[in-house]
């Protein structure tokens, strides 16, 4: 086999962009690319290692011998080593053997830009291509309509390793099996989007995928890159959007990963106060280094480009934004203005969001940000970070605290629910009941509900009904949609056997019904981020633990009336004020028998009376089902 030949995919302009932190297509240049040079097939390799004394490609093709195929360093001080190796083919495993200028340290690293990796615990990169014939043209043409902020956005959060496993050997499903089983299930249950917990290659299963080594490679645990494309493709063909968890906040220090890559702090910040995460024992990217910014933003755009991804949920944004996050006094240094904000991170996140929205129409970025940092989901031109949405962690915390309480005590805590409306429109909020809420002794969502078995499930149905009629988009972690009894265990399948029991199947039917309601009633989504989309009828009936409100869309004739009874008492002839005359029709009831409820309902068309109540000229008397949410339309 021939030695490395001088060859480059880089232009001077590429190098200028890379150094400036503005090269957002680095995956087309760095990494391993099968090409043909002067009629000879082989692979072009390029890796960024500015502190290296030498870089060799080692792999199956040269028996992993260092020095057999040394790359050439570019003359332009970019720190990029490159070369073309004839005869190397797709499917061959390889790494970079790097000797550092820093004391001659030798490291053996996986390719940061590899498109495919060996199946863990093996750690080599695999030469691969991204060839695939997509069949989702109709979805891509209309994606903007599905993903708009004034459209239904109901997300099913999935951990691929534990959604379902097969056989007594507890085997993972493959991407192709997910393309059949998961797609059918999500379509039946009515979610508009699926969010995958990180699919990028990761070495350690207990990290759930949140400590990455292969940022450009879908994990080989479930199949090849093309097989993951099939899964995305099939979801799109079923009219379901795909969101990926993206982790630019930290990475592990595994020997083959990004840490100390070329014998120096290349990707991580050299100051340990900024470059090490004390909670996760991981390394933190140097957001102020332009080449690192190019790497991260290129990675975000890579998934949108080559995998047709419709949105990125950015993990652990709060840990990125604050210099003192999980640090005691003396363990962090203020910024140049004396504040605790990480100015490099703020600048990076703005660049990231601007690049995403400028290059891909109809996608969304979503921030998991747990503090009151201002304007996370506001445009960068207005001073915001530029995200499309932000997780509403306060709503999640307060709502779960309320629902844990025995109904007899709820009259003293109604403020836990009503408080969210004081800030609900300060951001474009997504309401999350995520994986973080069903681990580490927190219990499952169903397991938090008080009372006997009937009351537990009634409370659960009420919780979900309240969630789906509250302003904002929705996210529900897998298993919660059928009332998973125990905490989530990433090492085994969800408890699918529970669906044989009517109470659990009733919850699943309820979620399907709520998704249908959400998608069919414009008042629930057209103004979901605007104060014009919500109006209280009565939030002060603490004694009866009842709330009533109106959800509004663009057409007032399509407004919906929502009434919640947070106690197990049937309240007959309960009067609420209404905005106009007409007939009131019940269109949804979480106490319906088909969902496992008692069947207390308001049947037929009820005549609205010209009787003032709740500060309105009109009113009506209703029968309120126990521990239930009821939705009405005026006709």
């Amino acid at each position: 086999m021939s030695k490395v030949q001088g060859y480059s995919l880089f232009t001077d302009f590429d190098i200028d962009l890379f150094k400036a932190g503005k090269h957002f297509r680095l995956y087309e240049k760095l990494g391993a690319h099968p090409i043909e040079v002067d009629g000879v097939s082989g692979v072009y390799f390029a890796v960024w290692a500015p502190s290296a004394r030498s870089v060799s490609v080692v792999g199956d093709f040269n028996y992993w011998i260092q020095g057999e195929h040394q790359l050439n360093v570019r003359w332009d001080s970019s720190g990029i080593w490159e070369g073309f190796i004839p005869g190397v083919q797709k499917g061959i495993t390889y790494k970079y053997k790097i000797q550092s200028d820093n004391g001659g340290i030798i490291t053996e690293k996986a390719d940061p830009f590899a498109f495919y990796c060996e199946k863990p615990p093996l750690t080599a990169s695999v030469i691969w291509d991204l060839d695939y014939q997509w069949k989702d043209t109709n979805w891509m043409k209309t994606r903007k309509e599905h993903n708009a902020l004034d459209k239904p956005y109901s997300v099913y959060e999935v951990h691929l390793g534990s959604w379902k496993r097969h056989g007594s050997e507890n085997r993972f499903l493959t991407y192709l099996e997910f393309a059949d089983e998961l797609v059918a299930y999500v379509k039946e249950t009515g979610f508009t989007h699926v969010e995958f917990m990180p699919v990028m290659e990761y070495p350690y299963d207990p990290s759930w995928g949140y400590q990455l080594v292969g940022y450009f490679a879908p994990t080989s645990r479930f199949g090849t890159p093309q097989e993951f494309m099939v899964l995305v493709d099939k979801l799109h063909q079923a009219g379901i959007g795909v969101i990926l968890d993206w982790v630019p906040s930290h990475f592990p220090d595994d020997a083959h990963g990004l840490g100390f890559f070329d014998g120096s702090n290349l990707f991580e910040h050299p100051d340990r106060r900024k470059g090490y995460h004390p909670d996760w024992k991981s390394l933190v990217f140097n957001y102020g280094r332009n080449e690192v910014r190019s790497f991260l933003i290129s990675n975000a755009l890579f998934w949108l480009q080559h995998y047709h991804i419709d949105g990125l949920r950015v993990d652990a944004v709060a840990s990125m934004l604050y210099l003192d996050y999980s640090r005691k006094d003396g363990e962090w240094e203020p910024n140049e203005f004396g504040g605790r904000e990480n100015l490099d991170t703020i600048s990076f996140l703005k660049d990231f969001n601007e690049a995403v929205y400028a290059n891909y129409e109809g996608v969304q970025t979503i921030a998991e940000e747990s503090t009151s940092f201002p304007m996370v989901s506001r445009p960068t031109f207005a001073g915001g970070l530029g995200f499309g949405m932000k997780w509403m962690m306060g709503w999640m915390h307060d709502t779960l605290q309320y629902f844990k309480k025995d109904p007899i005590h709820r009259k003293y805590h109604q403020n836990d629910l009503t408080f969210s409306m004081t800030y609900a429109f300060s951001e474009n909020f997504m309401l999350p009941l995520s994986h973080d809420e069903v681990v580490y002794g927190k219990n499952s969502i169903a397991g938090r509900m008080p009372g006997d078995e009937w009351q537990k499930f009634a409370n659960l149905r009420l919780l979900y009904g309240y969630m789906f009629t509250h302003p904002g988009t929705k996210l529900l972690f897998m298993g919660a949609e059928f009332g998973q009894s125990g905490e989530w265990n990433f090492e085994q399948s969800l408890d699918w056997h529970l669906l044989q029991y009517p109470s659990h199947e009733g919850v699943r039917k309820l979620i399907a019904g709520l998704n249908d309601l959400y998608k069919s009633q414009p008042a629930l989504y057209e103004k979901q981020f605007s104060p014009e989309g919500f109006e209280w009828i009565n939030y002060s009936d603490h004694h009866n633990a009842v709330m009533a409100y109106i959800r509004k869309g663009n057409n007032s004739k399509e407004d919906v009336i929502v009434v919640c009874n947070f106690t197990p008492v049937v309240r007959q002839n309960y009067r609420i004020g209404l905005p106009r005359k007409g007939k009131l029709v019940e269109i949804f009831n979480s106490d319906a028998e088909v969902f496992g409820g008692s069947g207390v309902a308001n049947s037929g068309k009820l005549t609205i009376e010209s009787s003032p109540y709740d500060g309105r000229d009109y009113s009506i008397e209703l029968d309120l089902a126990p521990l239930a949410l009821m939705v009405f339309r005026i006709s």
Side-chain angles (χ1 to χ4, degrees), residues 114-126 128 130 158-162 165 172-176 178 196-229 231-232 244-245 256 299 302-303 307:
F115 297 149
Y116 192 31
C117 301
E118 286 188 298
K119 188 174 181 179
L122 301 177
T123 59
S125 303
V126 182
W128 210 256
L130 298 172
V158 174
H159 177 260
L160 286 171
S162 58
R165 296 194 180 188
F172 288 140
L173 269 66
T174 67
Y175 290 128
L176 297 181
F178 282 116
F196 292 126
M197 292 167 66
V199 300
M200 303 81 178
E201 194 61 81
Y202 56 98
Y204 187 51
D205 282 352
S207 78
W208 310 335
Y210 287 100
Q211 296 207 8
L212 306 176
V213 293
Y215 271 76
F216 290 82
T219 178
S220 54
R221 286 169 174 80
F222 316 116
T224 68
Q226 281 75 14
E227 289 167 343
F228 180 60
M229 292 175 187
L231 172 55
V232 176
L244 294 187
D245 272 12
H256 65 292
N299 181 245
F302 168 81
W303 293 99
Y307 288 89

Side-chain angles (χ1 to χ4, degrees), residues 435-452:
H435 65 275
D436 279 329
E437 305 317 310
V438 292
V439 289
Y440 300 141
K442 295 179 182 177
N443 210 332
S444 65
I445 302 298
R448 284 173 162 85
M449 300 298 108
D452 59 24

Side-chain angles (χ1 to χ4, degrees), residues 283-297:
L283 304 174
V284 179
F285 285 104
N286 184 354
Y287 305 108
R289 188 164 191 170
N290 285 340
E291 295 90 344
V292 172
R293 293 163 78 106
S294 287
F295 169 81
L296 287 171
I297 297 176

Side-chain angles (χ1 to χ4, degrees), residues 87 92 188 194 208 212 260 266 281 287 334 409 454 472 481:
I92 287 178
E188 179 186 6
V194 167
W208 310 335
L212 306 176
F260 211 58
L266 188 63
K281 308 296 187 291
Y287 305 108
H409 301 302
W454 189 92
E481 82 281 3

Side-chain angles (χ1 to χ4, degrees), residues 48-51 258 260-262 264-268 286 289 292:
W48 179 49
S51 292
L258 299 179
F260 211 58
F261 188 81
D262 61 353
S264 71
N265 300 118
L266 188 63
F267 290 92
E268 66 271 26
N286 184 354
R289 188 164 191 170
V292 172

